[in-house]
mmCIF file of all heavy atoms in Angstrom:
data_model
loop_
_atom_site.group_PDB
_atom_site.id
_atom_site.type_symbol
_atom_site.label_atom_id
_atom_site.label_comp_id
_atom_site.label_asym_id
_atom_site.label_seq_id
_atom_site.Cartn_x
_atom_site.Cartn_y
_atom_site.Cartn_z
ATOM 1 N N ASN B 1243 47.900 22.419 55.711
ATOM 2 C CA ASN B 1243 47.406 22.298 54.328
ATOM 3 C C ASN B 1243 47.030 20.861 53.978
ATOM 4 O O ASN B 1243 46.063 20.620 53.274
ATOM 5 C CB ASN B 1243 48.476 22.760 53.337
ATOM 6 C CG ASN B 1243 48.541 24.266 53.241
ATOM 7 O OD1 ASN B 1243 47.735 24.972 53.845
ATOM 8 N ND2 ASN B 1243 49.509 24.764 52.499
ATOM 9 N N ARG B 1244 47.846 19.921 54.441
ATOM 10 C CA ARG B 1244 47.623 18.527 54.064
ATOM 11 C C ARG B 1244 46.548 17.866 54.925
ATOM 12 O O ARG B 1244 46.033 16.796 54.574
ATOM 13 C CB ARG B 1244 48.954 17.768 54.185
ATOM 14 C CG ARG B 1244 49.039 16.523 53.336
ATOM 15 C CD ARG B 1244 50.373 15.829 53.504
ATOM 16 N NE ARG B 1244 50.599 15.388 54.868
ATOM 17 C CZ ARG B 1244 51.721 14.816 55.318
ATOM 18 N NH1 ARG B 1244 52.730 14.628 54.483
ATOM 19 N NH2 ARG B 1244 51.849 14.442 56.562
ATOM 20 N N ALA B 1245 46.225 18.488 56.067
ATOM 21 C CA ALA B 1245 45.252 17.867 56.973
ATOM 22 C C ALA B 1245 43.901 17.767 56.286
ATOM 23 O O ALA B 1245 43.343 18.775 55.844
ATOM 24 C CB ALA B 1245 45.129 18.690 58.251
ATOM 25 N N GLY B 1246 43.386 16.565 56.141
ATOM 26 C CA GLY B 1246 42.085 16.359 55.523
ATOM 27 C C GLY B 1246 42.131 16.027 54.041
ATOM 28 O O GLY B 1246 41.094 15.803 53.420
ATOM 29 N N VAL B 1247 43.330 15.989 53.458
ATOM 30 C CA VAL B 1247 43.450 15.575 52.047
ATOM 31 C C VAL B 1247 43.074 14.090 51.954
ATOM 32 O O VAL B 1247 43.466 13.299 52.794
ATOM 33 C CB VAL B 1247 44.899 15.813 51.539
ATOM 34 C CG1 VAL B 1247 45.144 15.123 50.212
ATOM 35 C CG2 VAL B 1247 45.169 17.310 51.434
ATOM 36 N N PRO B 1248 42.266 13.727 50.946
ATOM 37 C CA PRO B 1248 41.809 12.335 50.898
ATOM 38 C C PRO B 1248 42.903 11.339 50.522
ATOM 39 O O PRO B 1248 43.697 11.591 49.615
ATOM 40 C CB PRO B 1248 40.720 12.352 49.816
ATOM 41 C CG PRO B 1248 40.948 13.570 49.024
ATOM 42 C CD PRO B 1248 41.651 14.557 49.901
ATOM 43 N N LEU B 1249 42.917 10.239 51.244
ATOM 44 C CA LEU B 1249 43.848 9.144 50.958
ATOM 45 C C LEU B 1249 43.045 7.873 50.754
ATOM 46 O O LEU B 1249 41.964 7.714 51.322
ATOM 47 C CB LEU B 1249 44.759 8.888 52.163
ATOM 48 C CG LEU B 1249 45.648 9.984 52.712
ATOM 49 C CD1 LEU B 1249 46.308 9.495 54.004
ATOM 50 C CD2 LEU B 1249 46.714 10.333 51.697
ATOM 51 N N VAL B 1250 43.609 6.953 49.972
ATOM 52 C CA VAL B 1250 43.181 5.571 50.127
ATOM 53 C C VAL B 1250 44.372 4.823 50.711
ATOM 54 O O VAL B 1250 45.518 5.087 50.355
ATOM 55 C CB VAL B 1250 42.733 4.890 48.808
ATOM 56 C CG1 VAL B 1250 41.346 5.346 48.411
ATOM 57 C CG2 VAL B 1250 43.732 5.105 47.689
ATOM 58 N N GLU B 1251 44.066 3.931 51.642
ATOM 59 C CA GLU B 1251 45.108 3.055 52.162
ATOM 60 C C GLU B 1251 44.884 1.687 51.535
ATOM 61 O O GLU B 1251 43.790 1.118 51.637
ATOM 62 C CB GLU B 1251 45.061 2.973 53.691
ATOM 63 C CG GLU B 1251 46.152 2.067 54.231
ATOM 64 C CD GLU B 1251 46.259 2.079 55.760
ATOM 65 O OE1 GLU B 1251 45.825 3.061 56.387
ATOM 66 O OE2 GLU B 1251 46.775 1.086 56.308
ATOM 67 N N ILE B 1252 45.906 1.188 50.874
ATOM 68 C CA ILE B 1252 45.805 -0.084 50.158
ATOM 69 C C ILE B 1252 46.683 -1.084 50.909
ATOM 70 O O ILE B 1252 47.891 -0.904 51.014
ATOM 71 C CB ILE B 1252 46.276 0.076 48.699
ATOM 72 C CG1 ILE B 1252 45.473 1.183 48.015
ATOM 73 C CG2 ILE B 1252 46.163 -1.246 47.939
ATOM 74 C CD1 ILE B 1252 46.131 1.773 46.793
ATOM 75 N N VAL B 1253 46.047 -2.100 51.473
ATOM 76 C CA VAL B 1253 46.761 -3.007 52.380
ATOM 77 C C VAL B 1253 46.818 -4.406 51.770
ATOM 78 O O VAL B 1253 45.776 -4.975 51.425
ATOM 79 C CB VAL B 1253 46.035 -3.076 53.745
ATOM 80 C CG1 VAL B 1253 46.820 -3.932 54.730
ATOM 81 C CG2 VAL B 1253 45.808 -1.682 54.304
ATOM 82 N N THR B 1254 48.015 -4.961 51.645
ATOM 83 C CA THR B 1254 48.128 -6.328 51.121
ATOM 84 C C THR B 1254 48.037 -7.325 52.273
ATOM 85 O O THR B 1254 48.207 -6.978 53.440
ATOM 86 C CB THR B 1254 49.470 -6.590 50.411
ATOM 87 O OG1 THR B 1254 50.507 -6.679 51.401
ATOM 88 C CG2 THR B 1254 49.801 -5.503 49.409
ATOM 89 N N GLU B 1255 47.756 -8.568 51.930
ATOM 90 C CA GLU B 1255 47.959 -9.650 52.892
ATOM 91 C C GLU B 1255 49.477 -9.839 53.030
ATOM 92 O O GLU B 1255 50.237 -9.346 52.196
ATOM 93 C CB GLU B 1255 47.305 -10.938 52.358
ATOM 94 C CG GLU B 1255 45.790 -10.870 52.225
ATOM 95 C CD GLU B 1255 45.073 -10.821 53.568
ATOM 96 O OE1 GLU B 1255 45.726 -11.011 54.620
ATOM 97 O OE2 GLU B 1255 43.853 -10.565 53.577
ATOM 98 N N PRO B 1256 49.932 -10.565 54.076
ATOM 99 C CA PRO B 1256 51.375 -10.847 54.169
ATOM 100 C C PRO B 1256 51.764 -11.852 53.086
ATOM 101 O O PRO B 1256 51.966 -13.025 53.336
ATOM 102 C CB PRO B 1256 51.540 -11.429 55.584
ATOM 103 C CG PRO B 1256 50.190 -11.855 55.998
ATOM 104 C CD PRO B 1256 49.187 -11.074 55.226
ATOM 105 N N ASP B 1257 51.839 -11.360 51.870
ATOM 106 C CA ASP B 1257 51.834 -12.220 50.693
ATOM 107 C C ASP B 1257 53.040 -11.976 49.795
ATOM 108 O O ASP B 1257 53.122 -12.503 48.701
ATOM 109 C CB ASP B 1257 50.542 -11.892 49.904
ATOM 110 C CG ASP B 1257 49.972 -13.124 49.242
ATOM 111 O OD1 ASP B 1257 50.430 -14.222 49.554
ATOM 112 O OD2 ASP B 1257 49.062 -12.960 48.402
ATOM 113 N N ILE B 1258 53.955 -11.138 50.278
ATOM 114 C CA ILE B 1258 55.104 -10.748 49.456
ATOM 115 C C ILE B 1258 56.347 -11.377 50.084
ATOM 116 O O ILE B 1258 56.518 -11.328 51.302
ATOM 117 C CB ILE B 1258 55.202 -9.202 49.418
ATOM 118 C CG1 ILE B 1258 54.001 -8.646 48.660
ATOM 119 C CG2 ILE B 1258 56.511 -8.745 48.792
ATOM 120 C CD1 ILE B 1258 53.792 -7.165 48.831
ATOM 121 N N HIS B 1259 57.192 -11.995 49.261
ATOM 122 C CA HIS B 1259 58.271 -12.797 49.832
ATOM 123 C C HIS B 1259 59.678 -12.360 49.431
ATOM 124 O O HIS B 1259 60.643 -13.090 49.686
ATOM 125 C CB HIS B 1259 58.043 -14.276 49.495
ATOM 126 C CG HIS B 1259 56.747 -14.794 50.050
ATOM 127 N ND1 HIS B 1259 56.502 -14.864 51.406
ATOM 128 C CD2 HIS B 1259 55.611 -15.194 49.442
ATOM 129 C CE1 HIS B 1259 55.267 -15.316 51.608
ATOM 130 N NE2 HIS B 1259 54.708 -15.515 50.429
ATOM 131 N N SER B 1260 59.809 -11.200 48.810
ATOM 132 C CA SER B 1260 61.156 -10.701 48.505
ATOM 133 C C SER B 1260 61.080 -9.219 48.166
ATOM 134 O O SER B 1260 60.002 -8.678 47.888
ATOM 135 C CB SER B 1260 61.742 -11.458 47.306
ATOM 136 O OG SER B 1260 61.016 -11.141 46.135
ATOM 137 N N GLY B 1261 62.248 -8.595 48.184
ATOM 138 C CA GLY B 1261 62.328 -7.201 47.777
ATOM 139 C C GLY B 1261 61.889 -7.030 46.329
ATOM 140 O O GLY B 1261 61.233 -6.048 45.982
ATOM 141 N N ASP B 1262 62.233 -8.005 45.493
ATOM 142 C CA ASP B 1262 61.846 -7.922 44.082
ATOM 143 C C ASP B 1262 60.332 -7.963 43.901
ATOM 144 O O ASP B 1262 59.780 -7.252 43.064
ATOM 145 C CB ASP B 1262 62.481 -9.077 43.284
ATOM 146 C CG ASP B 1262 63.952 -8.825 43.031
ATOM 147 O OD1 ASP B 1262 64.335 -7.648 42.949
ATOM 148 O OD2 ASP B 1262 64.717 -9.806 42.940
ATOM 149 N N GLU B 1263 59.673 -8.812 44.697
ATOM 150 C CA GLU B 1263 58.214 -8.882 44.598
ATOM 151 C C GLU B 1263 57.575 -7.569 45.055
ATOM 152 O O GLU B 1263 56.602 -7.108 44.467
ATOM 153 C CB GLU B 1263 57.663 -10.040 45.426
ATOM 154 C CG GLU B 1263 57.904 -11.393 44.782
ATOM 155 C CD GLU B 1263 57.072 -12.506 45.418
ATOM 156 O OE1 GLU B 1263 56.462 -12.291 46.490
ATOM 157 O OE2 GLU B 1263 57.048 -13.593 44.833
ATOM 158 N N ALA B 1264 58.140 -6.991 46.115
ATOM 159 C CA ALA B 1264 57.613 -5.709 46.599
ATOM 160 C C ALA B 1264 57.781 -4.647 45.522
ATOM 161 O O ALA B 1264 56.881 -3.839 45.268
ATOM 162 C CB ALA B 1264 58.335 -5.294 47.878
ATOM 163 N N TYR B 1265 58.938 -4.667 44.866
ATOM 164 C CA TYR B 1265 59.227 -3.713 43.792
ATOM 165 C C TYR B 1265 58.215 -3.860 42.662
ATOM 166 O O TYR B 1265 57.632 -2.886 42.183
ATOM 167 C CB TYR B 1265 60.650 -3.968 43.269
ATOM 168 C CG TYR B 1265 61.168 -2.907 42.341
ATOM 169 C CD1 TYR B 1265 61.956 -1.862 42.824
ATOM 170 C CD2 TYR B 1265 60.887 -2.942 40.978
ATOM 171 C CE1 TYR B 1265 62.430 -0.878 41.972
ATOM 172 C CE2 TYR B 1265 61.350 -1.966 40.124
ATOM 173 C CZ TYR B 1265 62.129 -0.937 40.623
ATOM 174 O OH TYR B 1265 62.595 0.047 39.775
ATOM 175 N N ALA B 1266 57.970 -5.126 42.269
ATOM 176 C CA ALA B 1266 57.037 -5.383 41.173
ATOM 177 C C ALA B 1266 55.615 -4.971 41.566
ATOM 178 O O ALA B 1266 54.883 -4.374 40.771
ATOM 179 C CB ALA B 1266 57.064 -6.864 40.786
ATOM 180 N N TYR B 1267 55.235 -5.272 42.803
ATOM 181 C CA TYR B 1267 53.884 -4.926 43.273
ATOM 182 C C TYR B 1267 53.670 -3.413 43.246
ATOM 183 O O TYR B 1267 52.663 -2.916 42.733
ATOM 184 C CB TYR B 1267 53.665 -5.475 44.686
ATOM 185 C CG TYR B 1267 52.451 -4.890 45.375
ATOM 186 C CD1 TYR B 1267 51.167 -5.285 45.026
ATOM 187 C CD2 TYR B 1267 52.596 -3.921 46.370
ATOM 188 C CE1 TYR B 1267 50.057 -4.722 45.635
ATOM 189 C CE2 TYR B 1267 51.499 -3.356 46.988
ATOM 190 C CZ TYR B 1267 50.226 -3.753 46.625
ATOM 191 O OH TYR B 1267 49.140 -3.199 47.215
ATOM 192 N N LEU B 1268 54.630 -2.669 43.803
ATOM 193 C CA LEU B 1268 54.469 -1.215 43.882
ATOM 194 C C LEU B 1268 54.475 -0.577 42.494
ATOM 195 O O LEU B 1268 53.739 0.373 42.228
ATOM 196 C CB LEU B 1268 55.567 -0.605 44.760
ATOM 197 C CG LEU B 1268 55.433 -0.930 46.246
ATOM 198 C CD1 LEU B 1268 56.681 -0.498 47.001
ATOM 199 C CD2 LEU B 1268 54.200 -0.259 46.842
ATOM 200 N N THR B 1269 55.310 -1.118 41.604
ATOM 201 C CA THR B 1269 55.355 -0.596 40.236
ATOM 202 C C THR B 1269 54.001 -0.799 39.560
ATOM 203 O O THR B 1269 53.466 0.096 38.900
ATOM 204 C CB THR B 1269 56.453 -1.319 39.430
ATOM 205 O OG1 THR B 1269 57.682 -1.202 40.145
ATOM 206 C CG2 THR B 1269 56.615 -0.724 38.049
ATOM 207 N N GLU B 1270 53.438 -1.981 39.753
ATOM 208 C CA GLU B 1270 52.149 -2.321 39.146
ATOM 209 C C GLU B 1270 51.027 -1.468 39.742
ATOM 210 O O GLU B 1270 50.181 -0.933 39.023
ATOM 211 C CB GLU B 1270 51.885 -3.812 39.388
ATOM 212 C CG GLU B 1270 51.071 -4.497 38.329
ATOM 213 C CD GLU B 1270 51.589 -4.295 36.917
ATOM 214 O OE1 GLU B 1270 52.827 -4.387 36.717
ATOM 215 O OE2 GLU B 1270 50.769 -4.029 36.036
ATOM 216 N N LEU B 1271 51.056 -1.344 41.071
ATOM 217 C CA LEU B 1271 50.014 -0.572 41.749
ATOM 218 C C LEU B 1271 50.064 0.890 41.306
ATOM 219 O O LEU B 1271 49.032 1.510 41.018
ATOM 220 C CB LEU B 1271 50.198 -0.674 43.269
ATOM 221 C CG LEU B 1271 49.133 0.007 44.114
ATOM 222 C CD1 LEU B 1271 47.778 -0.668 43.925
ATOM 223 C CD2 LEU B 1271 49.520 -0.010 45.588
ATOM 224 N N ARG B 1272 51.280 1.441 41.219
ATOM 225 C CA ARG B 1272 51.419 2.831 40.811
ATOM 226 C C ARG B 1272 50.931 3.028 39.372
ATOM 227 O O ARG B 1272 50.286 4.014 39.043
ATOM 228 C CB ARG B 1272 52.876 3.281 40.933
ATOM 229 C CG ARG B 1272 53.056 4.737 40.547
ATOM 230 C CD ARG B 1272 54.374 5.279 40.962
ATOM 231 N NE ARG B 1272 55.447 4.642 40.216
ATOM 232 C CZ ARG B 1272 56.720 4.962 40.381
ATOM 233 N NH1 ARG B 1272 57.072 5.855 41.278
ATOM 234 N NH2 ARG B 1272 57.636 4.366 39.671
ATOM 235 N N LYS B 1273 51.233 2.030 38.530
ATOM 236 C CA LYS B 1273 50.770 2.086 37.147
ATOM 237 C C LYS B 1273 49.237 2.151 37.114
ATOM 238 O O LYS B 1273 48.647 2.947 36.378
ATOM 239 C CB LYS B 1273 51.265 0.829 36.423
ATOM 240 C CG LYS B 1273 51.449 0.995 34.937
ATOM 241 C CD LYS B 1273 51.682 -0.345 34.250
ATOM 242 C CE LYS B 1273 53.051 -0.937 34.505
ATOM 243 N NZ LYS B 1273 53.171 -2.274 33.861
ATOM 244 N N LEU B 1274 48.585 1.326 37.939
ATOM 245 C CA LEU B 1274 47.116 1.323 37.988
ATOM 246 C C LEU B 1274 46.591 2.673 38.460
ATOM 247 O O LEU B 1274 45.667 3.240 37.874
ATOM 248 C CB LEU B 1274 46.604 0.228 38.927
ATOM 249 C CG LEU B 1274 46.687 -1.205 38.414
ATOM 250 C CD1 LEU B 1274 46.247 -2.185 39.501
ATOM 251 C CD2 LEU B 1274 45.827 -1.388 37.165
ATOM 252 N N LEU B 1275 47.176 3.208 39.543
ATOM 253 C CA LEU B 1275 46.726 4.500 40.074
ATOM 254 C C LEU B 1275 46.835 5.579 39.003
ATOM 255 O O LEU B 1275 45.966 6.440 38.870
ATOM 256 C CB LEU B 1275 47.548 4.885 41.308
ATOM 257 C CG LEU B 1275 47.316 4.042 42.568
ATOM 258 C CD1 LEU B 1275 48.424 4.273 43.585
ATOM 259 C CD2 LEU B 1275 45.956 4.350 43.182
ATOM 260 N N ARG B 1276 47.939 5.515 38.225
ATOM 261 C CA ARG B 1276 48.145 6.533 37.188
ATOM 262 C C ARG B 1276 47.218 6.317 36.000
ATOM 263 O O ARG B 1276 46.711 7.287 35.430
ATOM 264 C CB ARG B 1276 49.614 6.533 36.743
ATOM 265 C CG ARG B 1276 50.523 7.143 37.795
ATOM 266 C CD ARG B 1276 51.961 7.072 37.380
ATOM 267 N NE ARG B 1276 52.816 7.808 38.312
ATOM 268 C CZ ARG B 1276 54.140 7.734 38.312
ATOM 269 N NH1 ARG B 1276 54.753 6.955 37.441
ATOM 270 N NH2 ARG B 1276 54.847 8.420 39.185
#
Side-chain angles (χ1 to χ4, degrees):
Chain B
N1243 281 355
R1244 203 180 62 184
V1247 167
L1249 301 173
V1250 283
E1251 180 173 337
I1252 304 159
V1253 184
T1254 73
E1255 295 291 351
D1257 215 11
I1258 293 166
H1259 300 296
S1260 67
D1262 284 331
E1263 285 194 349
Y1265 191 95
Y1267 166 75
L1268 290 170
T1269 306
E1270 210 52 43
L1271 184 65
R1272 181 166 67 179
K1273 207 191 287 177
L1274 286 175
L1275 290 165
R1276 287 177 173 169

